[in-house]
Amino acid sequence: MSLPGIADLNTKLAGLKTPYLDGKNPGDPDRKAFQELIGKDNIHLWRWVKHIASYSEEERKAWADAEKAALVAKSSIVLDVKPWDDETDLIAMESAIRALEIPGLHWGASKQVAVAFGIKKIQIMLTIEDELVSSDDIEDAVTGLEDYVQSIDIVSWNKL
């Protein structure tokens, strides 16, 4: 049955005072409409329609929302950012690092950690969306701050 045929049957059924085309009980007109609508070889389609119809409209709308809210793979990373020497302004270095804007990258907490001979490094946490940001993106951006950053090391990398 074509879509207009389905709409016609739906309109006809809506105008009835009984649940079936033939009255209070199913009859030959119901059997013919069913065969025309579903067809003898489409029993799986009928099973699917019956199954989908068992869900409320609210539940069916939630399916679309669930697809939109698909799980986003994220990682939590801790970096050691090493300055050139003990005279490097670590506060300015951290500000420059935090000023880096890469879609999917979110900076977290940080602290200064003593290395040796009065030199300190910055240990900084960040969260990334794995599909948007790679480790190469982070490394290139941070080491690109050549006035401050001598090198970086990944201390930890955890999938969330």
Side-chain angles (χ1 to χ4, degrees):
M1 185 178 260
S2 66
L3 290 178
I6 293 172
D8 292 343
L9 178 60
N10 191 52
T11 302
K12 189 174 184 178
L13 289 168
L16 295 176
K17 294 185 185 253
T18 60
Y20 302 102
L21 292 171
D22 202 31
K24 291 184 180 181
N25 296 310
D28 195 47
D30 296 292
R31 184 190 61 77
K32 286 179 182 175
F34 181 81
Q35 283 296 342
E36 189 176 333
L37 178 66
I38 300 299
K40 66 179 183 177
D41 296 327
N42 297 327
I43 197 68
H44 300 294
L45 173 64
W46 172 244
R47 186 179 304 129
W48 175 81
V49 168
K50 187 175 175 185
H51 183 69
I52 296 299
S54 71
Y55 292 96
S56 71
E57 183 64 27
E58 184 177 305
E59 289 172 312
R60 289 193 298 265
K61 284 181 181 176
W63 298 340
D65 294 340
E67 288 177 10
K68 291 176 190 172
L71 183 62
V72 176
K74 293 184 179 182
S75 296
S76 175
I77 303 169
V78 177
L79 294 179
D80 275 348
V81 184
K82 299 171 191 162
W84 284 106
D85 56 33
D86 63 340
E87 294 181 15
T88 302
D89 184 350
L90 294 182
I91 294 171
M93 183 170 88
E94 182 179 347
S95 295
I97 292 168
R98 288 184 181 279
L100 296 171
E101 292 186 17
I102 300 173
L105 169 66
H106 306 282
W107 296 108
S110 66
K111 64 181 179 180
Q112 293 183 9
V113 179
V115 177
F117 307 108
I119 298 176
K120 293 182 179 181
K121 64 184 176 185
I122 293 178
Q123 195 167 74
I124 189 165
M125 297 174 58
L126 56 127
T127 303
I128 62 168
E129 293 180 28
D130 295 343
E131 289 187 20
L132 300 177
V133 185
S134 72
S135 61
D136 290 338
D137 296 335
I138 298 165
E139 182 177 5
D140 291 346
V142 175
T143 57
L145 301 170
E146 296 173 351
D147 291 342
Y148 301 109
V149 180
Q150 183 255 336
S151 65
I152 66 168
D153 288 323
I154 297 173
V155 176
S156 67
W157 187 308
N158 298 301
K159 296 287 185 183
L160 300 178

